[in-house]
Coordinates of all heavy atoms in Angstrom, one line a residue:
Chain C
A1389 N 6.4 -12.4 -9.2 CA 5.9 -11.0 -9.2 C 6.6 -10.2 -8.2 O 7.0 -9.0 -8.4 CB 4.4 -11.0 -8.8
N1390 N 7.0 -10.8 -7.0 CA 7.8 -10.1 -6.0 C 9.2 -9.8 -6.5 O 9.7 -8.8 -6.2 CB 7.9 -11.0 -4.8 CG 7.3 -10.5 -3.6 OD1 6.7 -9.4 -3.6 ND2 7.4 -11.1 -2.5
A1391 N 9.7 -10.7 -7.3 CA 11.1 -10.5 -7.9 C 12.1 -10.1 -6.9 O 13.0 -9.3 -7.1 CB 11.0 -9.4 -9.0
D1392 N 12.1 -10.8 -5.7 CA 13.2 -10.6 -4.8 C 14.5 -11.1 -5.5 O 14.5 -12.2 -6.0 CB 13.0 -11.4 -3.5 CG 14.0 -11.0 -2.4 OD1 15.2 -11.1 -2.7 OD2 13.5 -10.6 -1.4
P1393 N 15.5 -10.2 -5.6 CA 16.7 -10.7 -6.3 C 17.3 -11.9 -5.8 O 18.1 -12.6 -6.5 CB 17.7 -9.5 -6.1 CG 17.0 -8.4 -5.5 CD 15.7 -8.9 -5.0
A1394 N 17.0 -12.3 -4.5 CA 17.6 -13.5 -3.9 C 16.6 -14.7 -4.0 O 16.8 -15.8 -3.5 CB 17.9 -13.3 -2.5
A1395 N 15.5 -14.5 -4.7 CA 14.5 -15.6 -4.8 C 15.1 -16.8 -5.5 O 15.8 -16.7 -6.5 CB 13.2 -15.1 -5.6
D1396 N 14.7 -18.0 -5.0 CA 15.4 -19.2 -5.5 C 15.0 -19.6 -6.9 O 15.8 -20.2 -7.6 CB 15.0 -20.3 -4.5 CG 15.7 -20.1 -3.2 OD1 16.9 -20.1 -3.2 OD2 15.0 -20.0 -2.2
Y1397 N 13.7 -19.2 -7.3 CA 13.4 -19.7 -8.7 C 14.1 -18.9 -9.8 O 14.3 -19.4 -10.9 CB 11.9 -19.4 -8.9 CG 10.9 -20.3 -8.2 CD1 9.9 -19.8 -7.4 CD2 11.0 -21.7 -8.4 CE1 9.0 -20.6 -6.7 CE2 10.1 -22.5 -7.7 CZ 9.1 -22.0 -6.9 OH 8.3 -22.8 -6.2
L1398 N 14.5 -17.7 -9.5 CA 15.0 -16.8 -10.6 C 16.2 -17.4 -11.3 O 16.2 -17.5 -12.6 CB 15.2 -15.4 -10.1 CG 14.0 -14.7 -9.6 CD1 14.3 -13.3 -9.1 CD2 12.9 -14.6 -10.6
P1399 N 17.3 -17.8 -10.6 CA 18.4 -18.4 -11.4 C 18.0 -19.7 -12.1 O 18.5 -19.9 -13.2 CB 19.5 -18.6 -10.3 CG 18.8 -18.5 -9.0 CD 17.6 -17.7 -9.2
V1400 N 17.2 -20.5 -11.5 CA 16.8 -21.7 -12.1 C 16.0 -21.4 -13.4 O 16.3 -22.1 -14.5 CB 15.9 -22.5 -11.2 CG1 15.2 -23.7 -11.9 CG2 16.6 -23.0 -10.0
L1401 N 15.1 -20.5 -13.4 CA 14.4 -20.2 -14.6 C 15.3 -19.5 -15.7 O 15.1 -19.8 -16.9 CB 13.2 -19.3 -14.3 CG 12.2 -19.9 -13.3 CD1 11.0 -18.9 -13.0 CD2 11.6 -21.2 -13.9
A1402 N 16.2 -18.7 -15.2 CA 17.2 -18.1 -16.2 C 18.0 -19.3 -16.8 O 18.2 -19.3 -18.0 CB 18.0 -17.1 -15.5
C1403 N 18.4 -20.2 -16.0 CA 19.2 -21.3 -16.5 C 18.5 -22.2 -17.5 O 19.0 -22.7 -18.5 CB 19.7 -22.1 -15.3 SG 20.7 -23.6 -15.7
A1404 N 17.2 -22.4 -17.2 CA 16.3 -23.2 -18.0 C 15.9 -22.5 -19.3 O 15.3 -23.2 -20.2 CB 15.1 -23.7 -17.2
G1405 N 16.1 -21.2 -19.4 CA 15.6 -20.5 -20.6 C 14.1 -20.4 -20.5 O 13.4 -20.4 -21.5
A1406 N 13.6 -20.2 -19.3 CA 12.1 -20.2 -19.1 C 11.5 -18.8 -19.6 O 12.2 -17.8 -19.7 CB 11.8 -20.4 -17.7
E1407 N 10.2 -18.9 -19.8 CA 9.5 -17.6 -20.1 C 8.4 -17.4 -19.1 O 7.8 -18.4 -18.7 CB 8.9 -17.7 -21.5 CG 9.9 -17.6 -22.6 CD 9.3 -17.5 -24.0 OE1 8.2 -18.0 -24.2 OE2 10.0 -16.9 -24.9
V1408 N 8.2 -16.2 -18.7 CA 7.2 -15.8 -17.8 C 6.0 -15.3 -18.6 O 6.1 -14.5 -19.5 CB 7.6 -14.6 -16.9 CG1 6.6 -14.2 -15.9 CG2 8.9 -15.0 -16.2
E1409 N 4.8 -15.9 -18.3 CA 3.6 -15.6 -19.1 C 2.8 -14.6 -18.3 O 2.5 -14.8 -17.1 CB 2.8 -16.8 -19.3 CG 1.5 -16.6 -20.2 CD 0.7 -17.8 -20.3 OE1 1.0 -18.6 -21.2 OE2 -0.3 -18.0 -19.6
L1410 N 2.5 -13.4 -18.9 CA 1.7 -12.4 -18.3 C 0.4 -12.1 -19.0 O 0.4 -12.1 -20.3 CB 2.6 -11.1 -18.3 CG 4.0 -11.1 -17.8 CD1 4.7 -9.8 -18.0 CD2 4.0 -11.5 -16.3
V1411 N -0.6 -11.9 -18.3 CA -1.9 -11.6 -18.9 C -2.4 -10.3 -18.3 O -2.4 -10.2 -17.1 CB -3.0 -12.7 -18.8 CG1 -4.3 -12.3 -19.4 CG2 -2.5 -14.0 -19.5
G1412 N -2.9 -9.4 -19.1 CA -3.4 -8.1 -18.6 C -4.5 -7.6 -19.6 O -4.9 -8.4 -20.5
P1413 N -4.9 -6.4 -19.4 CA -6.0 -5.8 -20.2 C -5.6 -5.9 -21.7 O -6.5 -5.9 -22.6 CB -6.1 -4.4 -19.7 CG -5.2 -4.2 -18.6 CD -4.5 -5.5 -18.3
D1414 N -4.3 -5.8 -22.0 CA -3.9 -5.8 -23.5 C -3.6 -7.2 -24.0 O -3.0 -7.4 -25.1 CB -2.7 -4.9 -23.7 CG -3.0 -3.5 -23.3 OD1 -4.2 -3.1 -23.5 OD2 -2.1 -2.7 -22.9
G1415 N -3.9 -8.2 -23.2 CA -3.7 -9.6 -23.7 C -2.6 -10.3 -23.1 O -2.2 -10.0 -21.9
L1416 N -2.1 -11.3 -23.8 CA -1.1 -12.2 -23.2 C 0.3 -11.9 -23.8 O 0.4 -11.7 -25.0 CB -1.5 -13.6 -23.5 CG -0.6 -14.8 -23.0 CD1 -1.5 -16.0 -22.7 CD2 0.4 -15.2 -24.0
R1417 N 1.3 -12.0 -23.0 CA 2.7 -11.9 -23.6 C 3.6 -12.8 -22.8 O 3.3 -13.1 -21.6 CB 3.2 -10.5 -23.6 CG 3.2 -9.8 -22.3 CD 3.5 -8.3 -22.4 NE 3.5 -7.7 -21.1 CZ 4.4 -6.9 -20.7 NH1 5.5 -6.6 -21.5 NH2 4.4 -6.4 -19.5
R1418 N 4.7 -13.3 -23.4 CA 5.6 -14.2 -22.7 C 7.0 -13.5 -22.8 O 7.4 -13.2 -23.9 CB 5.7 -15.6 -23.4 CG 4.4 -16.4 -23.2 CD 4.6 -17.8 -23.3 NE 3.3 -18.5 -23.2 CZ 2.6 -18.8 -24.3 NH1 2.9 -18.5 -25.5 NH2 1.4 -19.4 -24.1
L1419 N 7.7 -13.4 -21.7 CA 9.0 -12.7 -21.7 C 10.0 -13.7 -21.1 O 9.8 -14.4 -20.1 CB 8.9 -11.5 -20.8 CG 8.0 -10.4 -21.2 CD1 8.0 -9.2 -20.1 CD2 8.4 -9.8 -22.6
A1420 N 11.2 -13.7 -21.7 CA 12.3 -14.4 -21.1 C 12.6 -13.7 -19.8 O 12.4 -12.5 -19.6 CB 13.5 -14.3 -22.0
V1421 N 13.2 -14.5 -18.8 CA 13.4 -14.0 -17.5 C 14.3 -12.7 -17.6 O 14.0 -11.7 -16.8 CB 14.2 -15.1 -16.6 CG1 14.6 -14.5 -15.3 CG2 13.2 -16.3 -16.5
A1422 N 15.3 -12.7 -18.4 CA 16.1 -11.5 -18.5 C 15.4 -10.3 -19.0 O 15.7 -9.1 -18.6 CB 17.3 -11.8 -19.5
D1423 N 14.3 -10.4 -19.8 CA 13.5 -9.3 -20.2 C 12.5 -8.9 -19.2 O 12.0 -7.8 -19.1 CB 12.9 -9.5 -21.5 CG 13.9 -9.8 -22.6 OD1 15.0 -9.2 -22.6 OD2 13.6 -10.7 -23.5
Y1424 N 12.1 -9.9 -18.4 CA 11.0 -9.7 -17.4 C 11.6 -8.9 -16.2 O 10.9 -8.0 -15.7 CB 10.5 -11.0 -16.9 CG 9.6 -10.9 -15.7 CD1 8.3 -10.5 -15.8 CD2 10.1 -11.3 -14.5 CE1 7.5 -10.3 -14.7 CE2 9.3 -11.2 -13.3 CZ 8.0 -10.7 -13.5 OH 7.2 -10.6 -12.3
L1425 N 12.8 -9.2 -15.8 CA 13.4 -8.5 -14.7 C 14.1 -7.2 -15.2 O 15.0 -7.3 -16.0 CB 14.4 -9.4 -14.0 CG 13.8 -10.7 -13.3 CD1 14.9 -11.6 -12.9 CD2 12.9 -10.3 -12.2
V1426 N 13.6 -6.1 -14.7 CA 14.0 -4.8 -15.3 C 15.1 -4.2 -14.5 O 16.1 -3.6 -15.0 CB 12.9 -3.9 -15.4 CG1 13.3 -2.5 -15.9 CG2 11.8 -4.5 -16.4
D1427 N 15.0 -4.3 -13.2 CA 16.0 -3.6 -12.3 C 15.8 -4.3 -10.9 O 14.9 -5.2 -10.8 CB 15.8 -2.1 -12.2 CG 17.0 -1.4 -11.7 OD1 17.9 -2.0 -11.2 OD2 17.0 -0.1 -11.8
W1428 N 16.4 -3.8 -9.9 CA 16.2 -4.3 -8.5 C 14.8 -4.2 -8.2 O 14.2 -3.1 -8.1 CB 17.0 -3.5 -7.5 CG 18.5 -3.6 -7.7 CD1 19.3 -2.7 -8.4 CD2 19.4 -4.6 -7.2 NE1 20.6 -3.1 -8.4 CE2 20.7 -4.2 -7.6 CE3 19.2 -5.7 -6.4 CZ2 21.8 -5.0 -7.3 CZ3 20.3 -6.5 -6.0 CH2 21.6 -6.1 -6.5
Y1429 N 14.2 -5.3 -7.9 CA 12.7 -5.4 -7.5 C 11.8 -4.8 -8.5 O 10.7 -4.5 -8.2 CB 12.5 -4.7 -6.2 CG 13.0 -5.5 -5.0 CD1 14.2 -5.2 -4.4 CD2 12.2 -6.5 -4.5 CE1 14.6 -5.9 -3.3 CE2 12.6 -7.3 -3.3 CZ 13.8 -6.9 -2.8 OH 14.3 -7.6 -1.7
E1430 N 12.3 -4.6 -9.8 CA 11.4 -4.0 -10.8 C 11.2 -5.0 -11.9 O 12.2 -5.5 -12.4 CB 12.1 -2.7 -11.2 CG 11.1 -1.7 -11.7 CD 11.8 -0.4 -12.1 OE1 12.6 0.1 -11.3 OE2 11.6 0.0 -13.3
T1431 N 10.0 -5.2 -12.3 CA 9.7 -6.2 -13.4 C 8.9 -5.5 -14.5 O 8.5 -4.3 -14.3 CB 8.8 -7.3 -12.8 OG1 7.5 -6.8 -12.6 CG2 9.4 -7.9 -11.6
A1432 N 8.8 -6.2 -15.5 CA 8.0 -5.7 -16.7 C 6.5 -5.8 -16.4 O 5.7 -5.3 -17.3 CB 8.4 -6.5 -17.9
L1433 N 6.1 -6.3 -15.3 CA 4.6 -6.4 -15.0 C 4.0 -5.0 -15.0 O 4.4 -4.1 -14.3 CB 4.4 -6.9 -13.6 CG 4.1 -8.4 -13.3 CD1 4.0 -8.6 -11.8 CD2 2.8 -8.8 -14.0
E1434 N 3.0 -4.8 -15.9 CA 2.3 -3.5 -15.9 C 1.2 -3.6 -14.9 O 0.7 -4.6 -14.5 CB 1.7 -3.3 -17.3 CG 2.7 -3.2 -18.4 CD 3.5 -1.8 -18.4 OE1 2.9 -0.9 -17.7 OE2 4.6 -1.7 -19.0
P1435 N 0.7 -2.4 -14.5 CA -0.4 -2.4 -13.6 C -1.6 -3.2 -14.2 O -1.9 -3.0 -15.4 CB -0.8 -0.9 -13.4 CG 0.4 -0.1 -13.9 CD 1.2 -1.0 -14.8
G1436 N -2.2 -4.0 -13.4 CA -3.4 -4.8 -13.9 C -3.0 -6.1 -14.6 O -3.8 -6.8 -15.0
E1437 N -1.7 -6.3 -14.7 CA -1.2 -7.6 -15.3 C -0.9 -8.6 -14.2 O -0.5 -8.3 -13.2 CB 0.1 -7.3 -16.1 CG 0.0 -7.5 -17.6 CD 1.3 -7.3 -18.3 OE1 2.3 -6.8 -17.7 OE2 1.3 -7.7 -19.5
I1438 N -1.2 -9.9 -14.5 CA -0.8 -10.9 -13.6 C 0.1 -12.0 -14.2 O 0.1 -12.1 -15.5 CB -2.0 -11.6 -12.9 CG1 -2.9 -12.3 -14.0 CG2 -2.8 -10.6 -12.1 CD1 -4.0 -13.2 -13.3
V1439 N 0.9 -12.6 -13.4 CA 1.7 -13.8 -13.9 C 0.8 -15.0 -13.9 O 0.3 -15.4 -12.9 CB 2.9 -14.0 -12.9 CG1 3.7 -15.3 -13.4 CG2 3.8 -12.8 -12.8
T1440 N 0.5 -15.5 -15.1 CA -0.4 -16.7 -15.2 C 0.4 -18.0 -15.2 O -0.2 -19.0 -14.8 CB -1.3 -16.5 -16.4 OG1 -0.4 -16.2 -17.5 CG2 -2.3 -15.5 -16.2
A1441 N 1.6 -18.0 -15.8 CA 2.3 -19.3 -15.9 C 3.8 -19.1 -16.1 O 4.2 -18.0 -16.5 CB 1.7 -20.2 -17.0
I1442 N 4.5 -20.1 -16.0 CA 5.9 -20.2 -16.4 C 6.0 -21.3 -17.4 O 5.5 -22.4 -17.2 CB 6.8 -20.6 -15.1 CG1 6.5 -19.7 -13.9 CG2 8.3 -20.5 -15.5 CD1 6.7 -18.2 -14.2
E1443 N 6.7 -21.0 -18.5 CA 6.9 -22.1 -19.5 C 8.4 -22.4 -19.6 O 9.2 -21.5 -19.8 CB 6.3 -21.7 -20.8 CG 4.8 -21.7 -20.7 CD 4.1 -22.0 -22.0 OE1 4.8 -22.1 -23.1 OE2 2.8 -22.1 -22.0
L1444 N 8.7 -23.7 -19.5 CA 10.1 -24.1 -19.6 C 10.3 -24.8 -21.0 O 9.4 -25.6 -21.3 CB 10.5 -25.1 -18.5 CG 10.3 -24.7 -17.1 CD1 11.0 -25.7 -16.2 CD2 10.8 -23.3 -16.7
P1445 N 11.3 -24.6 -21.7 CA 11.5 -25.4 -22.9 C 11.9 -26.8 -22.5 O 12.2 -27.1 -21.3 CB 12.7 -24.7 -23.6 CG 13.4 -23.9 -22.5 CD 12.4 -23.6 -21.5
A1446 N 11.9 -27.7 -23.5 CA 12.2 -29.1 -23.2 C 13.6 -29.1 -22.4 O 14.5 -28.4 -22.7 CB 12.4 -29.9 -24.5
G1447 N 13.6 -29.9 -21.4 CA 14.7 -29.8 -20.4 C 15.9 -30.6 -20.7 O 17.0 -30.3 -20.1
G1448 N 15.9 -31.5 -21.6 CA 17.0 -32.3 -21.8 C 17.2 -33.3 -20.7 O 16.4 -33.3 -19.7
D1449 N 18.1 -34.2 -20.8 CA 18.3 -35.3 -19.8 C 19.0 -34.8 -18.5 O 19.0 -35.5 -17.5 CB 19.1 -36.5 -20.4 CG 18.3 -37.1 -21.5 OD1 17.0 -37.0 -21.5 OD2 18.9 -37.6 -22.5
G1450 N 19.6 -33.7 -18.6 CA 20.4 -33.2 -17.5 C 21.7 -33.9 -17.3 O 22.2 -34.3 -18.4
P1451 N 22.2 -34.0 -16.2 CA 21.6 -33.7 -14.9 C 21.6 -32.1 -14.7 O 22.3 -31.4 -15.4 CB 22.5 -34.3 -13.9 CG 23.8 -34.5 -14.5 CD 23.5 -34.7 -16.0

Side-chain angles (χ1 to χ4, degrees):
Chain C
N1390 241 3
D1392 191 302
D1396 292 299
Y1397 288 125
L1398 299 179
V1400 168
L1401 297 179
C1403 178
E1407 288 185 333
V1408 180
E1409 183 183 278
L1410 308 176
V1411 177
D1414 297 330
L1416 180 151
R1417 55 193 183 129
R1418 292 200 184 92
L1419 298 178
V1421 174
D1423 299 324
Y1424 169 76
L1425 296 169
V1426 176
D1427 199 350
W1428 296 93
Y1429 285 99
E1430 209 179 307
T1431 71
L1433 261 178
E1434 295 288 340
E1437 246 182 346
I1438 62 171
V1439 177
T1440 46
I1442 309 302
E1443 291 208 355
L1444 310 189
D1449 295 333

